Amino acid sequence: SIVTNKCTSEKYSPDYEVVVANGDIANDVAMQMLRDGEGDAIFIYADQVEEYSACPAGSTWNCTLWEGFGTEVAYVQTGQFGHAMNGTTLSLSRKGSGIRELLRPCMQSFMLTKEYYDICVKHDLAGVCYANEFFGDDATVGGKYDLPTNKQTGDCSDGYCPCPVTSDDSPPVAGAPLETDPTSGSTTVLVGTSLLMTSSIMWLSASLM
């Protein structure tokens, strides 16, 4: 595993099976499989269910499948960025060409400048760009989908579960620990569409049902 369990600060158990959902709308296929008990969790965009369950006009997916966000399904791991060094690929080059070594310091220097800030503002991206000293109040925190699980609060009813309470003296948080815990033991993980390298990755579990 290349990402870390945000509740234990450890890598996930290696005992899992990955099943790639195939179909015209792979996320629909993965969600149907999850609801049918053919998998324990979906590895998917951290804001995907919120978008799909809103069902805007012209939606091409099966809106019914994505109902019950926070009551039937919820994210049990979020804020996992260990799969990506940064985000968008800026250059592809032959291995060993040295292009990477030339570009990295250039980009790092540019991202510290006011020109970088100006570009982010121009394209209305100040809230998601890497903030430098010129951002000030323009630097904003992303949505709950970007928060790591150990920073989430509540009872899963908003669709984002916090880490389970493990103290013997404390009652468990409503909805957690989930009946199916994809962080340990043998787990079947369903994969929908290709993952954006800039997206917070999460586990979506249907064990609230």
Side-chain angles (χ1 to χ4, degrees):
S1 176
I2 58 175
V3 292
T4 301
N5 181 327
K6 295 299 181 178
C7 295
T8 66
S9 298
E10 298 177 351
K11 298 297 183 183
Y12 290 96
S13 166
D15 187 12
Y16 61 86
E17 175 189 5
V18 174
V19 177
V20 178
N22 295 308
D24 292 338
I25 303 178
N27 284 336
D28 275 2
V29 176
M31 176 56 82
Q32 187 64 67
M33 294 172 68
L34 182 70
R35 290 184 178 277
D36 290 344
E38 297 179 38
D40 299 303
I42 303 176
F43 203 48
I44 198 174
Y45 298 137
D47 59 351
Q48 195 81 75
V49 179
E50 186 172 1
E51 177 188 352
Y52 275 27
S53 60
C55 201
S59 299
T60 58
W61 55 86
N62 182 347
C63 295
T64 303
L65 279 176
W66 301 89
E67 294 175 350
F69 184 41
T71 56
E72 298 177 3
V73 294
Y75 300 123
V76 293
Q77 283 287 318
T78 52
Q80 301 183 54
F81 293 97
H83 64 291
M85 285 293 292
N86 192 335
T88 304
T89 299
L90 299 176
S91 172
L92 291 175
S93 58
R94 187 185 300 274
K95 185 176 181 179
S97 66
I99 298 297
R100 181 184 66 176
E101 287 71 21
L102 290 173
L103 286 178
R104 278 187 174 176
C106 178
M107 286 301 303
Q108 290 170 350
S109 296
F110 179 69
M111 290 169 67
L112 297 176
T113 66
K114 186 176 184 300
E115 287 76 13
Y116 170 75
Y117 164 73
D118 290 340
I119 290 175
C120 292
V121 171
K122 177 181 178 181
H123 296 283
D124 196 26
L125 294 172
V128 294
C129 282
Y130 288 89
N132 61 30
E133 63 177 307
F134 299 99
F135 278 70
D137 293 337
D138 288 335
T140 59
V141 178
K144 289 183 70 67
Y145 51 83
D146 274 337
L147 287 176
T149 310
N150 57 356
K151 300 295 184 182
Q152 299 284 1
T153 59
D155 59 1
C156 302
S157 60
D158 60 0
Y160 299 93
C161 291
C163 291
V165 175
T166 56
S167 171
D168 292 337
D169 298 327
S170 302
V173 176
L178 300 173
E179 294 175 10
T180 298
D181 180 3
T183 62
S184 63
S186 179
T187 302
T188 300
V189 180
L190 307 171
V191 179
T193 54
S194 299
L195 302 173
L196 285 174
M197 294 306 286
T198 54
S199 175
S200 169
I201 304 304
M202 42 66 69
W203 297 96
L204 173 68
S205 177
S207 55
L208 296 179
M209 292 189 291

